[in-house]
Amino acid sequence: MYTKQEILEIAMEQSAADNHCTMEDFLKPDHVMVDFALGERARIYYKEPITCNLVSYGSNIVASVKSEYRDLVWEYIHKFDFYHCFETPSMNWLAERLAPMGQKICFMAEYFLPDPDRLAELLCDYEIKILNQKDFSNLYRKEWSNALCEDRKKLDVLGAGAYDNGKLVGLAACSADCDSMWQIGVDVLTEYRRKGIASSLTSRLAVEILKRDKVPFYCCAWSNIRSARNAIRSGFAPAWVEMTVKPAKIVDKMNE
């Protein structure tokens, strides 16, 4: 199994590939700005157009920005404490100045990495089975939409299912979003929640991913307390945060 430092470095190397920078940029005491470019090794879910992506591993902000927005973003990340740049009211300052430029803040997320010192297979009262890609063919339904992505079926490579007398009641699956890291998503049927199923599935799948020499990672929205608690209970810890700016027409379409 990887060490904690090795896992962090693999994540930083991938973030560098995603944002056209170097791994060392995330460790510098000062903010770093680079020209945005989507490389061949970027995570598959990064899609153009992207105006700006702000990333922090807790030391600074690395801003990957299209050239015409550099001055505004540079002013923003130096105006506020770096952690305030990922929350209101500071974000309102940026949003007001992006609006006349036809841009809007789009995605915000917190990412988690496994802690090898805490990660262990947690038990629950239900049978757990390891699933492969062929087992997902009939599972692309609403109740499993966090675990599986119908638009990217070929990337759903491994899973863990919880069964109650043969009935699938919980599912964790991972997407091969890049060469070195697989992202975990999990769903549990409403009537089976608060029974330890999500953490049992997440921890088991994370262990299985590491056995395959890949690094599992987990992502959730700031406000998804249930999901964040599951990550922590399953042996994960907060690792980095991101905020993405896209053209307003893209964001507006998402909200239709």
Side-chain angles (χ1 to χ4, degrees), residues 191-235:
E191 61 271 28
Y192 285 87
R193 291 174 183 168
R194 296 185 178 274
K195 297 178 183 291
I197 295 174
S199 56
S200 179
L201 292 171
T202 303
S203 61
R204 176 64 185 278
L205 184 55
V207 170
E208 292 293 330
I209 293 170
L210 286 166
K211 287 179 181 178
R212 290 157 174 80
D213 292 326
K214 305 294 182 182
V215 171
F217 70 105
Y218 189 106
C219 172
C220 71
W222 306 107
S223 57
N224 195 340
I225 300 301
R226 184 173 63 199
S227 186
R229 284 176 176 166
N230 177 57
I232 293 168
R233 177 175 166 78
S234 301

Side-chain angles (χ1 to χ4, degrees), residues 49-53 69 72 91 94-108 243-256:
I50 295 175
T51 304
C52 168
N53 200 37
Y69 307 97
L72 173 59
M91 282 171 50
L94 179 62
E96 289 170 359
R97 287 155 180 79
L98 286 170
M101 306 169 97
Q103 307 298 316
K104 285 187 176 181
I105 296 168
C106 186
F107 299 117
M108 293 175 57
M243 184 174 78
T244 304
V245 175
K246 283 180 171 284
K249 62 182 180 181
I250 302 293
V251 180
D252 292 343
K253 187 171 181 58
M254 293 179 182
N255 290 327
E256 288 179 354

Side-chain angles (χ1 to χ4, degrees), residues 92-146:
N92 293 330
W93 184 95
L94 179 62
E96 289 170 359
R97 287 155 180 79
L98 286 170
M101 306 169 97
Q103 307 298 316
K104 285 187 176 181
I105 296 168
C106 186
F107 299 117
M108 293 175 57
E110 183 174 18
Y111 289 83
F112 299 77
L113 291 171
D115 181 348
D117 297 331
R118 295 175 48 242
L119 180 64
E121 294 181 20
L122 301 178
L123 301 178
C124 68
D125 294 332
Y126 301 91
E127 180 186 10
I128 305 296
K129 295 181 181 179
I130 297 302
L131 306 175
N132 294 301
Q133 195 171 55
K134 61 181 177 56
D135 301 312
F136 300 146
S137 58
N138 296 321
L139 299 180
Y140 287 92
R141 304 193 297 267
K142 184 178 180 180
E143 61 264 38
W144 311 124
S145 59
N146 288 312

Side-chain angles (χ1 to χ4, degrees), residues 37-51:
L38 203 57
E40 292 182 359
R41 291 182 52 245
R43 269 176 270 242
I44 196 71
Y45 54 79
Y46 286 103
K47 299 290 186 184
E48 289 274 25
I50 295 175
T51 304

